[in-house]
Amino acid sequence: DAGITQSPRHKVTETGTPVTLRCHQTENHRYMYWYRQDPGHGLRLIHYSYGVKDTDKGEVSDGYSVSRSKTEDFLLTLESATSSQTSVYFCAISESPETQYFGPGTRLLVL
Amino acid sequence: GQQLNQSPQSMFIQEGEDVSMNCTSSSIFNTWLWYKQDPGEGPVLLIALYKAGELTSNGRLTAQFGITRKDSFLNISASIPSDVGIYFCAGHENAGNNRKLIWGLGTSLAVNP
């Protein structure tokens, strides 16, 4: 299994508060991705990174920002959490864009 | 965003039966991938296909990269209870600096022991 961890694994927060999720890898893979998974919507890409300090938006990027200051860490920030951001968040890593390996996920509940 | 057409949406089968699912796209892909997600876990890569017509097996799982490059199929033979989960297809179009996968919505598989 790819060495990829996510923290926290579970979080409950209140509407309007900032939240940061962390993805950490030990594989030295170039690409890192943040997805959200909701019933009926499958996996939707939020943001991705193709190198340190190189990031780009996915299809559902509004309300989210990311940062990648080191190869091993990719942070996802919800600037002001809303109830619509209640979801399960997955990080994925890959050496090439085709074959992505997923972390265990973070369950976020915004009250 | 673009999505793949994955079918069926769900299946409920008896243990020992074979299973077939497929994905179709309006675009031509260079890579097709199949993932499985167990409840409460992240998706796990099962099979990757890189060439039109390619047929690849992983134990009881067999996947094919369609000749048109617009579809892919996954078969599971002699299903067992641990096959339960959601199966996702994903495709990659090797165009420009494309770094993203296109995903199907998943096939939910339930197996009756």
Side-chain angles (χ1 to χ4, degrees), chain B residues 11 23 33 62 77 85 93 98 108 111 113:
Chain B
M11 302 181 77
C23 264
L33 305 153
T62 302
S77 62
E93 186 179 357
N98 181 28
S108 178
V111 179

Side-chain angles (χ1 to χ4, degrees), chain A residues 36-38 82-89 108-111:
Chain A
R36 61 178 289 174
Q37 186 176 32
D38 306 287
T82 67
S83 58
S84 65
Q85 293 176 311
T86 291
S87 187
V88 182
Y89 291 86
L108 177 67
L109 174 61
V110 183
L111 299 175

